Amino acid sequence: MNKNNLKWLFIALGGVFLGRYFYMKNAIDLMARTMWGEARSEGNIGMQAVGNVIMNRANNGKVWDGVSIVGVITKDNQFSAWNIGDPNREKMLTVNDNDPVFRNALRIAEQLVNGELGDITDGADHYHTIFISPYWADEMEFIKDINNHRFYRSA
């Protein structure tokens, strides 16, 4: 391989690694915002549980769940805090790391993406607050309650 081809190979590899870096930063940020928007009042455990559901969906191979962390989070009507008109949406879009709970969410999201935290939901891929009873819950396997959220696994 001549020097010119080697140079282009390094540029291409650098682009791949740079693209992966920015994708992971975006995935971590979106996951942290989702965890914060859905469970900031549930403490670190509650936010981790939401993050576990995101990871379980991203890893389950079901295209309808999304095929990546970002795909899972941005899929329409999956996480209510992202729904247009939800009062949490604007808060999620504007929160920054001056908020100590969001800083924790960022740390937890990074640990989840890096495989450093276990799954406290035992494989859940759905959840809802204990204060509602959505129609889809009857079709799911109930796993457990964590704080004010009820976790399920699809069949």
Side-chain angles (χ1 to χ4, degrees):
M1 183 174 278
N2 67 37
K3 285 184 180 183
N4 196 37
N5 288 345
L6 194 57
K7 176 180 92 173
W8 286 111
L9 175 64
F10 282 122
I11 289 171
L13 288 173
V16 168
F17 288 117
L18 192 58
R20 175 83 176 147
Y21 168 79
F22 284 116
Y23 170 79
M24 295 310 290
K25 291 293 278 184
N26 188 42
I28 290 166
D29 182 73
L30 282 173
M31 182 183 287
R33 289 178 189 283
T34 304
M35 293 177 346
W36 184 88
E38 295 274 320
R40 67 184 170 274
S41 65
E42 303 291 314
N44 290 350
I45 296 297
M47 289 192 297
Q48 179 182 342
V50 170
N52 286 142
V53 167
I54 293 167
M55 294 301 294
N56 290 340
R57 286 186 181 190
N59 293 325
N60 73 9
K62 295 178 181 175
V63 175
W64 58 267
D65 275 341
V67 293
S68 66
I69 294 167
V70 173
V72 165
I73 293 168
T74 59
K75 187 139 175 85
D76 287 344
N77 300 313
Q78 296 302 301
F79 297 95
S80 62
W82 286 107
N83 292 346
I84 301 296
D86 189 292
N88 281 306
R89 183 180 168 90
E90 186 63 32
K91 293 174 186 176
M92 280 191 318
L93 292 172
T94 58
V95 70
N96 61 45
D97 61 5
N98 290 328
D99 181 307
V101 178
F102 184 64
R103 275 197 312 271
N104 283 339
L106 283 167
R107 180 183 51 78
I108 293 165
E110 184 171 11
Q111 289 174 319
L112 285 168
V113 168
N114 291 330
E116 298 168 3
L117 288 177
D119 182 1
I120 61 173
T121 70
D122 300 325
D125 52 20
H126 287 75
Y127 67 90
H128 64 81
T129 178
I130 61 172
F131 305 111
I132 64 170
S133 296
Y135 70 91
W136 53 259
D138 292 336
E139 301 169 12
M140 303 277 175
E141 174 190 355
F142 171 72
I143 298 175
K144 64 169 71 174
D145 290 338
I146 299 175
N147 296 337
N148 287 318
H149 286 103
R150 187 155 284 164
F151 290 83
Y152 300 83
R153 185 176 23 245
S154 56

